[in-house]
PDB file of all heavy atoms in Angstrom:
ATOM      1  N   ILE Z  25      -1.342  12.213 -10.285  1.00  0.00           N
ATOM      2  CA  ILE Z  25      -2.117  11.103 -10.844  1.00  0.00           C
ATOM      3  C   ILE Z  25      -3.425  10.937 -10.095  1.00  0.00           C
ATOM      4  O   ILE Z  25      -4.487  10.719 -10.702  1.00  0.00           O
ATOM      5  CB  ILE Z  25      -1.292   9.799 -10.804  1.00  0.00           C
ATOM      6  CG1 ILE Z  25      -0.097   9.907 -11.744  1.00  0.00           C
ATOM      7  CG2 ILE Z  25      -2.165   8.601 -11.212  1.00  0.00           C
ATOM      8  CD1 ILE Z  25       0.845   8.727 -11.652  1.00  0.00           C
ATOM      9  N   TYR Z  26      -3.370  11.042  -8.774  1.00  0.00           N
ATOM     10  CA  TYR Z  26      -4.595  10.893  -7.981  1.00  0.00           C
ATOM     11  C   TYR Z  26      -5.624  11.967  -8.333  1.00  0.00           C
ATOM     12  O   TYR Z  26      -6.801  11.685  -8.488  1.00  0.00           O
ATOM     13  CB  TYR Z  26      -4.238  10.992  -6.508  1.00  0.00           C
ATOM     14  CG  TYR Z  26      -5.397  10.544  -5.582  1.00  0.00           C
ATOM     15  CD1 TYR Z  26      -5.521   9.232  -5.180  1.00  0.00           C
ATOM     16  CD2 TYR Z  26      -6.305  11.485  -5.142  1.00  0.00           C
ATOM     17  CE1 TYR Z  26      -6.562   8.842  -4.350  1.00  0.00           C
ATOM     18  CE2 TYR Z  26      -7.360  11.102  -4.298  1.00  0.00           C
ATOM     19  CZ  TYR Z  26      -7.470   9.780  -3.920  1.00  0.00           C
ATOM     20  OH  TYR Z  26      -8.505   9.403  -3.099  1.00  0.00           O
ATOM     21  N   VAL Z  27      -5.145  13.188  -8.461  1.00  0.00           N
ATOM     22  CA  VAL Z  27      -6.045  14.295  -8.796  1.00  0.00           C
ATOM     23  C   VAL Z  27      -6.662  14.111 -10.181  1.00  0.00           C
ATOM     24  O   VAL Z  27      -7.861  14.295 -10.384  1.00  0.00           O
ATOM     25  CB  VAL Z  27      -5.293  15.631  -8.739  1.00  0.00           C
ATOM     26  CG1 VAL Z  27      -6.133  16.789  -9.325  1.00  0.00           C
ATOM     27  CG2 VAL Z  27      -4.902  15.967  -7.296  1.00  0.00           C
ATOM     28  N   LEU Z  28      -5.831  13.683 -11.159  1.00  0.00           N
ATOM     29  CA  LEU Z  28      -6.332  13.482 -12.516  1.00  0.00           C
ATOM     30  C   LEU Z  28      -7.376  12.374 -12.576  1.00  0.00           C
ATOM     31  O   LEU Z  28      -8.397  12.501 -13.252  1.00  0.00           O
ATOM     32  CB  LEU Z  28      -5.166  13.164 -13.443  1.00  0.00           C
ATOM     33  CG  LEU Z  28      -4.168  14.294 -13.717  1.00  0.00           C
ATOM     34  CD1 LEU Z  28      -3.033  13.821 -14.584  1.00  0.00           C
ATOM     35  CD2 LEU Z  28      -4.899  15.470 -14.390  1.00  0.00           C
ATOM     36  N   ILE Z  29      -7.138  11.286 -11.837  1.00  0.00           N
ATOM     37  CA  ILE Z  29      -8.109  10.189 -11.842  1.00  0.00           C
ATOM     38  C   ILE Z  29      -9.394  10.633 -11.151  1.00  0.00           C
ATOM     39  O   ILE Z  29     -10.518  10.319 -11.617  1.00  0.00           O
ATOM     40  CB  ILE Z  29      -7.515   8.951 -11.107  1.00  0.00           C
ATOM     41  CG1 ILE Z  29      -6.364   8.380 -11.894  1.00  0.00           C
ATOM     42  CG2 ILE Z  29      -8.605   7.873 -10.949  1.00  0.00           C
ATOM     43  CD1 ILE Z  29      -5.660   7.222 -11.207  1.00  0.00           C
ATOM     44  N   THR Z  30      -9.254  11.386 -10.104  1.00  0.00           N
ATOM     45  CA  THR Z  30     -10.447  11.896  -9.382  1.00  0.00           C
ATOM     46  C   THR Z  30     -11.268  12.810 -10.281  1.00  0.00           C
ATOM     47  O   THR Z  30     -12.519  12.733 -10.316  1.00  0.00           O
ATOM     48  CB  THR Z  30     -10.033  12.646  -8.112  1.00  0.00           C
ATOM     49  OG1 THR Z  30      -9.241  11.802  -7.283  1.00  0.00           O
ATOM     50  CG2 THR Z  30     -11.272  13.100  -7.340  1.00  0.00           C
ATOM     51  N   ILE Z  31     -10.595  13.664 -11.015  1.00  0.00           N
ATOM     52  CA  ILE Z  31     -11.321  14.559 -11.950  1.00  0.00           C
ATOM     53  C   ILE Z  31     -12.001  13.776 -13.029  1.00  0.00           C
ATOM     54  O   ILE Z  31     -13.181  14.014 -13.372  1.00  0.00           O
ATOM     55  CB  ILE Z  31     -10.318  15.575 -12.569  1.00  0.00           C
ATOM     56  CG1 ILE Z  31      -9.814  16.549 -11.544  1.00  0.00           C
ATOM     57  CG2 ILE Z  31     -11.005  16.321 -13.710  1.00  0.00           C
ATOM     58  CD1 ILE Z  31      -8.733  17.494 -12.038  1.00  0.00           C
ATOM     59  N   ALA Z  32     -11.313  12.749 -13.576  1.00  0.00           N
ATOM     60  CA  ALA Z  32     -11.917  11.904 -14.598  1.00  0.00           C
ATOM     61  C   ALA Z  32     -13.150  11.184 -14.069  1.00  0.00           C
ATOM     62  O   ALA Z  32     -14.164  11.058 -14.775  1.00  0.00           O
ATOM     63  CB  ALA Z  32     -10.876  10.895 -15.128  1.00  0.00           C
ATOM     64  N   LEU Z  33     -13.059  10.732 -12.851  1.00  0.00           N
ATOM     65  CA  LEU Z  33     -14.194  10.052 -12.241  1.00  0.00           C
ATOM     66  C   LEU Z  33     -15.390  10.963 -12.030  1.00  0.00           C
ATOM     67  O   LEU Z  33     -16.522  10.649 -12.396  1.00  0.00           O
ATOM     68  CB  LEU Z  33     -13.773   9.421 -10.899  1.00  0.00           C
ATOM     69  CG  LEU Z  33     -14.878   8.852 -10.026  1.00  0.00           C
ATOM     70  CD1 LEU Z  33     -15.543   7.685 -10.746  1.00  0.00           C
ATOM     71  CD2 LEU Z  33     -14.334   8.396  -8.677  1.00  0.00           C
ATOM     72  N   CYS Z  34     -15.109  12.162 -11.475  1.00  0.00           N
ATOM     73  CA  CYS Z  34     -16.184  13.082 -11.153  1.00  0.00           C
ATOM     74  C   CYS Z  34     -16.813  13.712 -12.424  1.00  0.00           C
ATOM     75  O   CYS Z  34     -17.935  14.186 -12.345  1.00  0.00           O
ATOM     76  CB  CYS Z  34     -15.638  14.187 -10.257  1.00  0.00           C
ATOM     77  SG  CYS Z  34     -15.131  13.609  -8.602  1.00  0.00           S
ATOM     78  N   THR Z  35     -16.120  13.663 -13.545  1.00  0.00           N
ATOM     79  CA  THR Z  35     -16.660  14.225 -14.767  1.00  0.00           C
ATOM     80  C   THR Z  35     -17.204  13.138 -15.696  1.00  0.00           C
ATOM     81  O   THR Z  35     -17.568  13.399 -16.828  1.00  0.00           O
ATOM     82  CB  THR Z  35     -15.584  15.020 -15.531  1.00  0.00           C
ATOM     83  OG1 THR Z  35     -14.449  14.201 -15.752  1.00  0.00           O
ATOM     84  CG2 THR Z  35     -15.164  16.241 -14.704  1.00  0.00           C
ATOM     85  N   GLY Z  36     -17.264  11.886 -15.195  1.00  0.00           N
ATOM     86  CA  GLY Z  36     -17.828  10.804 -15.955  1.00  0.00           C
ATOM     87  C   GLY Z  36     -16.956  10.264 -17.074  1.00  0.00           C
ATOM     88  O   GLY Z  36     -17.466   9.645 -18.019  1.00  0.00           O
ATOM     89  N   ARG Z  37     -15.650  10.480 -16.985  1.00  0.00           N
ATOM     90  CA  ARG Z  37     -14.755  10.061 -18.045  1.00  0.00           C
ATOM     91  C   ARG Z  37     -13.942   8.803 -17.686  1.00  0.00           C
ATOM     92  O   ARG Z  37     -13.030   8.460 -18.411  1.00  0.00           O
ATOM     93  CB  ARG Z  37     -13.796  11.176 -18.401  1.00  0.00           C
ATOM     94  CG  ARG Z  37     -14.507  12.438 -18.911  1.00  0.00           C
ATOM     95  CD  ARG Z  37     -13.524  13.560 -19.144  1.00  0.00           C
ATOM     96  NE  ARG Z  37     -14.231  14.783 -19.646  1.00  0.00           N
ATOM     97  CZ  ARG Z  37     -13.633  15.928 -19.856  1.00  0.00           C
ATOM     98  NH1 ARG Z  37     -12.322  16.051 -19.680  1.00  0.00           N
ATOM     99  NH2 ARG Z  37     -14.346  16.982 -20.285  1.00  0.00           N
ATOM    100  N   ALA Z  38     -14.284   8.173 -16.596  1.00  0.00           N
ATOM    101  CA  ALA Z  38     -13.525   7.003 -16.174  1.00  0.00           C
ATOM    102  C   ALA Z  38     -14.229   5.706 -16.472  1.00  0.00           C
ATOM    103  O   ALA Z  38     -13.619   4.632 -16.440  1.00  0.00           O
ATOM    104  CB  ALA Z  38     -13.256   7.089 -14.670  1.00  0.00           C
ATOM    105  N   GLU Z  39     -15.513   5.752 -16.783  1.00  0.00           N
ATOM    106  CA  GLU Z  39     -16.300   4.524 -16.950  1.00  0.00           C
ATOM    107  C   GLU Z  39     -15.788   3.641 -18.084  1.00  0.00           C
ATOM    108  O   GLU Z  39     -15.713   2.412 -17.932  1.00  0.00           O
ATOM    109  CB  GLU Z  39     -17.766   4.888 -17.191  1.00  0.00           C
ATOM    110  CG  GLU Z  39     -18.681   3.670 -17.290  1.00  0.00           C
ATOM    111  CD  GLU Z  39     -20.138   4.050 -17.434  1.00  0.00           C
ATOM    112  OE1 GLU Z  39     -20.459   5.274 -17.331  1.00  0.00           O
ATOM    113  OE2 GLU Z  39     -20.945   3.150 -17.676  1.00  0.00           O
ATOM    114  N   TRP Z  40     -15.400   4.240 -19.215  1.00  0.00           N
ATOM    115  CA  TRP Z  40     -14.949   3.445 -20.333  1.00  0.00           C
ATOM    116  C   TRP Z  40     -13.690   2.639 -20.007  1.00  0.00           C
ATOM    117  O   TRP Z  40     -13.562   1.490 -20.380  1.00  0.00           O
ATOM    118  CB  TRP Z  40     -14.682   4.339 -21.534  1.00  0.00           C
ATOM    119  CG  TRP Z  40     -13.480   5.242 -21.385  1.00  0.00           C
ATOM    120  CD1 TRP Z  40     -13.459   6.487 -20.833  1.00  0.00           C
ATOM    121  CD2 TRP Z  40     -12.114   4.911 -21.720  1.00  0.00           C
ATOM    122  NE1 TRP Z  40     -12.165   6.973 -20.835  1.00  0.00           N
ATOM    123  CE2 TRP Z  40     -11.340   6.037 -21.358  1.00  0.00           C
ATOM    124  CE3 TRP Z  40     -11.525   3.809 -22.316  1.00  0.00           C
ATOM    125  CZ2 TRP Z  40      -9.953   6.095 -21.571  1.00  0.00           C
ATOM    126  CZ3 TRP Z  40     -10.136   3.854 -22.514  1.00  0.00           C
ATOM    127  CH2 TRP Z  40      -9.375   4.983 -22.153  1.00  0.00           C
ATOM    128  N   PHE Z  41     -12.793   3.288 -19.255  1.00  0.00           N
ATOM    129  CA  PHE Z  41     -11.554   2.604 -18.864  1.00  0.00           C
ATOM    130  C   PHE Z  41     -11.849   1.475 -17.891  1.00  0.00           C
ATOM    131  O   PHE Z  41     -11.307   0.375 -18.013  1.00  0.00           O
ATOM    132  CB  PHE Z  41     -10.579   3.599 -18.253  1.00  0.00           C
ATOM    133  CG  PHE Z  41      -9.303   2.967 -17.730  1.00  0.00           C
ATOM    134  CD1 PHE Z  41      -8.294   2.658 -18.580  1.00  0.00           C
ATOM    135  CD2 PHE Z  41      -9.184   2.654 -16.379  1.00  0.00           C
ATOM    136  CE1 PHE Z  41      -7.111   2.066 -18.104  1.00  0.00           C
ATOM    137  CE2 PHE Z  41      -8.033   2.055 -15.893  1.00  0.00           C
ATOM    138  CZ  PHE Z  41      -7.012   1.769 -16.748  1.00  0.00           C
ATOM    139  N   ASP Z  42     -12.707   1.761 -16.890  1.00  0.00           N
ATOM    140  CA  ASP Z  42     -13.048   0.726 -15.916  1.00  0.00           C
ATOM    141  C   ASP Z  42     -13.675  -0.496 -16.567  1.00  0.00           C
ATOM    142  O   ASP Z  42     -13.296  -1.634 -16.264  1.00  0.00           O
ATOM    143  CB  ASP Z  42     -14.038   1.307 -14.891  1.00  0.00           C
ATOM    144  CG  ASP Z  42     -13.337   2.257 -13.899  1.00  0.00           C
ATOM    145  OD1 ASP Z  42     -12.183   1.963 -13.552  1.00  0.00           O
ATOM    146  OD2 ASP Z  42     -13.977   3.244 -13.479  1.00  0.00           O
ATOM    147  N   ARG Z 118     -18.560   7.103  -4.225  1.00  0.00           N
ATOM    148  CA  ARG Z 118     -18.739   6.280  -5.393  1.00  0.00           C
ATOM    149  C   ARG Z 118     -19.218   4.894  -4.989  1.00  0.00           C
ATOM    150  O   ARG Z 118     -18.553   4.190  -4.202  1.00  0.00           O
ATOM    151  CB  ARG Z 118     -17.428   6.139  -6.175  1.00  0.00           C
ATOM    152  CG  ARG Z 118     -17.566   5.344  -7.449  1.00  0.00           C
ATOM    153  CD  ARG Z 118     -16.233   5.080  -8.127  1.00  0.00           C
ATOM    154  NE  ARG Z 118     -16.392   4.735  -9.526  1.00  0.00           N
ATOM    155  CZ  ARG Z 118     -15.397   4.365 -10.328  1.00  0.00           C
ATOM    156  NH1 ARG Z 118     -14.151   4.303  -9.864  1.00  0.00           N
ATOM    157  NH2 ARG Z 118     -15.644   4.088 -11.599  1.00  0.00           N
ATOM    158  N   TYR Z 135     -14.428   4.440  -3.925  1.00  0.00           N
ATOM    159  CA  TYR Z 135     -13.254   5.246  -4.336  1.00  0.00           C
ATOM    160  C   TYR Z 135     -12.656   5.979  -3.152  1.00  0.00           C
ATOM    161  O   TYR Z 135     -13.360   6.722  -2.445  1.00  0.00           O
ATOM    162  CB  TYR Z 135     -13.664   6.283  -5.374  1.00  0.00           C
ATOM    163  CG  TYR Z 135     -12.498   7.051  -5.968  1.00  0.00           C
ATOM    164  CD1 TYR Z 135     -11.785   6.536  -7.016  1.00  0.00           C
ATOM    165  CD2 TYR Z 135     -12.126   8.283  -5.459  1.00  0.00           C
ATOM    166  CE1 TYR Z 135     -10.735   7.256  -7.580  1.00  0.00           C
ATOM    167  CE2 TYR Z 135     -11.074   8.986  -6.006  1.00  0.00           C
ATOM    168  CZ  TYR Z 135     -10.376   8.489  -7.058  1.00  0.00           C
ATOM    169  OH  TYR Z 135      -9.295   9.159  -7.598  1.00  0.00           O
ATOM    170  N   THR Z 195     -10.030   2.094 -11.682  1.00  0.00           N
ATOM    171  CA  THR Z 195      -9.582   3.441 -11.300  1.00  0.00           C
ATOM    172  C   THR Z 195      -9.506   3.595  -9.790  1.00  0.00           C
ATOM    173  O   THR Z 195      -8.710   4.416  -9.307  1.00  0.00           O
ATOM    174  CB  THR Z 195     -10.539   4.512 -11.877  1.00  0.00           C
ATOM    175  OG1 THR Z 195     -11.887   4.121 -11.653  1.00  0.00           O
ATOM    176  CG2 THR Z 195     -10.310   4.718 -13.376  1.00  0.00           C
TER     177      THR Z 195
END
Side-chain angles (χ1 to χ4, degrees):
I25 294 173
Y26 191 90
V27 170
L28 291 176
I29 294 176
T30 304
I31 293 174
L33 171 63
C34 294
T35 56
R37 300 176 180 176
E39 184 175 353
W40 69 271
F41 175 81
D42 285 326
R118 184 187 199 184
Y135 187 84
T195 45

